[in-house]
Amino acid sequence: MGLQQDVMEQMKAAMKAKDSVALESLRAIKSALLLANTESGAGALSEDDEVKLIQKLVKQRKDSAAIFNKQGRADLAEPELAQVAVIEQFLPEQLTTEEVEKVVVKTIAATGASGMKDMGKVMGMVSKELAGKTDGKTISTIVKNKLS
């Protein structure tokens, strides 16, 4: 239950500081956590589930910002990116592209993958190993580059 308590503490601080962007972001996290707890029925979420939930929230906001930028609406994209910055505080430290690349190369060598037909196998193993430490899009891009 550590994440939910952290979010509540941050919400109190954001309210005192009158930081509306942080408050909105933290309320979104709290809402998603409560919804996930209610859906699972089992009560508290595991740490892995919490990380996946936070990653999902970050991805939603990044996707929204990309769409807004594509349509020339920087005024709408900026708040989304500001929320991303707040929400990312609750993710474990993200790996650099070079660190992800090392894991991908090691996995390719271990599995003996030789072409694009082995991409699914490599992606599955790397995704399990790096769960919560990087996003799937980064892994996918690196695996494609290495196998092609």
Side-chain angles (χ1 to χ4, degrees), residues 16-73:
K16 288 177 184 172
K18 299 192 184 325
D19 184 349
S20 61
V21 173
L23 194 55
E24 189 178 339
S25 305
L26 294 165
R27 284 184 174 146
I29 295 171
K30 182 182 175 194
S31 172
L33 284 171
L34 288 172
L35 188 64
N37 280 336
T38 308
E39 284 178 359
S40 66
L45 293 172
S46 71
E47 201 170 310
D48 287 344
D49 290 338
E50 289 175 346
V51 169
K52 286 179 187 169
L53 188 71
I54 299 296
Q55 284 180 321
K56 179 180 166 189
L57 293 173
V58 168
K59 185 179 184 318
Q60 285 175 343
R61 277 151 186 79
K62 282 184 177 177
D63 289 348
S64 295
I67 291 169
F68 291 142
N69 280 329
K70 188 175 172 185
Q71 295 176 346
R73 295 295 308 264

Side-chain angles (χ1 to χ4, degrees), residues 104-114 118 121-123 125-126 147:
V104 169
V105 169
K106 186 179 76 174
T107 306
I108 289 172
T111 59
S114 57
D118 298 320
K121 183 170 38 171
V122 174
M123 280 289 299
M125 292 177 73
V126 173
L147 289 178

